Amino acid sequence: MPSRPPTVREQFLSLPAYAAGEPASLAATHKLSSNENPEPPLPAVGAALAEAARRINRYPDLANSALVGALARRLSVPPERLFVSPGATPLLDQLVRLTTAPGEEVVTGWPSFEGYPLAIRANGARTVTVPLRRAALDLPAMAAAITPRTRLVFVCSPNNPTGTTVTHDRLAAFLERVPERVHVVLDEAYIDYVDDPAAPRAVELVAEHPGLTVVRTFSKAHGLAGLRVGYAVTHPAMVDALTRLRPAFGVTALAEAAAVASLRAEYELADRMERARGERDRLVAGLRAAGWQVPPSQANFVWLPPGPRTRELAARLRANGLTTRLLGEDGLRISLGTPGINDLVLHTASEDAPTGPVRGGMPV
Ligand SMILES: Cc1ncc(COP(=O)(O)O)c(C=O)c1O
């Protein structure tokens, strides 16, 4: 084999790659590191997949009309405002590419979703991070960080990894401050877990702001992470641009059939979400009772601020068979598991809970 490596443009050789959550293994049997749904997909999904599998000799519908139609009805949004994608991740990349030229800036809170800096850097743009305030996005500071070179802002709500949301009123005020040349992405990957009535009414905001795109995914609440399907609600002109950029047939026929079936099973999903929110609130309350500083979570994970004891806890959880995610300066994100697994998290975190404020911790 020739020893010369293949020709790749220099700027791509040093790009950091996406790091997936540590998988469950023999040593660690429960994966709480990727904010997945611990339950299998809803029962209707299995039947829809079996039916769709009989036709995979055919290409998928290029326009994914069945899913677009189902989403349009569910969200009361005109179909021309909807764009479906093989997960939210490619959408983030495409939105950076469509709005931001190499050398221009994208603003994001930090810590926030690790996928943003990767997408920004892959497109030769610059990431401008704005520290969180009390574990939540600081929208006024993010507005102040916009410069003449800014083209895009990522607003993650609930914010991965802290679980906090922005409110509708604060986001609306922020959108009023953002100049027209700057696009805003509201990433609502965890929207189905939200029960705070003050959370953004995203569809309403999209109708009012041509410069806003809402991104969602079937990977979390719907439990379809392995199939890859997500969508954007946005201005029709942005749908048109995204359509021109997308690789053809990206959303497979199986993914589309599963997403449509999962959307139709709305009562079963609502039931699951109610139970998940109950478990989340139990986890937050239990961790706080054990002395940990935990921000209020509206998602399917909880966040423990950085510090040596947090790192120790991650190691103890691992020794008990649970993989979690150390992030940033080693804050710890723990995804929701089944009730028994959540009991094990609480038990482990209570063994050596901090008594005073966590040193170096994020104020919450
Ligand atoms: C905030 C946020 N946005 C987007 C994604 C990507 O989701 P998908 O599986 O649809 O690519 C994730 C996944 O963890 C996420 O946490």
Side-chain angles (χ1 to χ4, degrees):
M1 202 191 324
S3 60
R4 195 171 57 81
T7 315
V8 174
R9 287 162 68 201
E10 187 64 32
Q11 75 218 64
F12 296 115
L13 294 175
S14 57
L15 282 182
Y18 187 84
E22 187 189 349
S25 62
L26 283 181
T29 47
H30 293 283
K31 184 170 176 238
L32 304 178
S33 54
S34 294
N35 300 339
E36 294 148 332
N37 194 327
E39 296 189 55
L42 294 168
V45 170
L49 281 174
E51 176 58 30
R54 289 150 47 100
R55 292 187 305 276
I56 55 172
N57 53 315
R58 304 290 179 193
Y59 282 102
D61 167 20
L62 185 62
N64 298 119
S65 323
L67 181 52
V68 168
L71 284 166
R73 284 188 294 279
R74 171 57 45 82
L75 303 173
S76 304
V77 165
E80 57 272 21
R81 285 190 174 274
L82 287 162
F83 177 80
V84 302
S85 160
T89 303
L91 266 175
L92 303 177
D93 177 72
Q94 285 155 10
L95 286 161
V96 176
R97 201 145 35 118
L98 284 170
T99 57
T100 312
E104 292 182 328
E105 295 171 1
V106 181
V107 172
T108 170
W110 203 254
S112 194
F113 180 45
E114 290 175 297
Y116 304 148
L118 297 179
I120 296 165
R121 199 161 151 197
N123 286 288
R126 245 174 45 76
T127 305
V128 175
T129 55
V130 177
L132 302 189
R133 198 158 170 269
R134 299 179 72 78
L137 292 184
D138 185 348
L139 290 177
M142 288 170 75
I146 292 173
T147 73
R149 299 191 64 73
T150 308
R151 292 289 173 269
L152 183 67
V153 181
F154 280 118
V155 176
C156 189
S157 183
N159 185 48
N160 178 2
T162 54
T164 52
T165 41
V166 297
T167 68
H168 182 88
D169 293 347
R170 287 200 186 136
L171 182 60
F174 170 80
L175 289 168
E176 292 302 326
R177 275 186 73 181
V178 172
E180 260 178 36
R181 66 187 154 72
V182 177
H183 200 74
V184 176
V185 173
L186 173 62
D187 183 343
E188 292 195 321
Y190 302 94
I191 183 64
D192 300 282
Y193 295 92
V194 173
D195 58 1
D196 181 351
R201 299 182 296 280
V203 167
E204 205 177 288
L205 289 172
V206 166
E208 289 162 8
H209 294 273
L212 176 66
T213 295
V214 177
V215 170
R216 293 181 179 168
T217 178
F218 285 84
S219 295
K220 309 297 178 181
H222 287 273
L224 299 178
L227 272 176
R228 316 302 305 131
V229 54
Y231 64 95
V233 189
T234 185
H235 191 278
M238 184 58 93
V239 172
D240 185 57
L242 285 164
T243 304
R244 287 164 199 275
L245 201 60
R246 75 169 167 208
F249 306 117
V251 177
T252 67
L254 294 178
E256 180 173 20
V260 168
S262 200
L263 268 182
R264 281 197 189 129
E266 73 179 296
Y267 297 111
E268 287 95 326
L269 184 77
D271 192 46
R272 276 194 180 186
M273 287 304 102
E274 201 177 313
R275 280 187 281 118
R277 287 190 286 259
E279 278 300 294
R280 171 193 70 205
D281 296 348
R282 183 171 79 87
L283 199 56
V284 170
L287 288 167
R288 284 181 180 165
W292 294 92
Q293 294 184 340
V294 185
S297 174
Q298 283 283 297
N300 65 341
F301 52 84
V302 296
W303 172 249
L304 270 52
R309 310 195 85 139
T310 301
R311 279 196 297 281
E312 280 164 27
L313 175 61
R316 281 209 314 283
L317 287 166
R318 198 170 192 297
N320 281 346
L322 307 177
T323 62
T324 55
R325 187 90 160 219
L326 280 168
L327 288 159
E329 293 300 306
D330 287 345
L332 183 65
R333 194 192 68 198
I334 308 175
S335 308
L336 216 55
T338 54
I341 294 301
N342 300 333
D343 284 343
L344 183 53
V345 170
L346 282 174
H347 176 76
T348 312
S350 306
E351 280 171 351
D352 179 29
T355 45
V358 181
R359 276 166 65 83
M362 182 183 305
V364 293

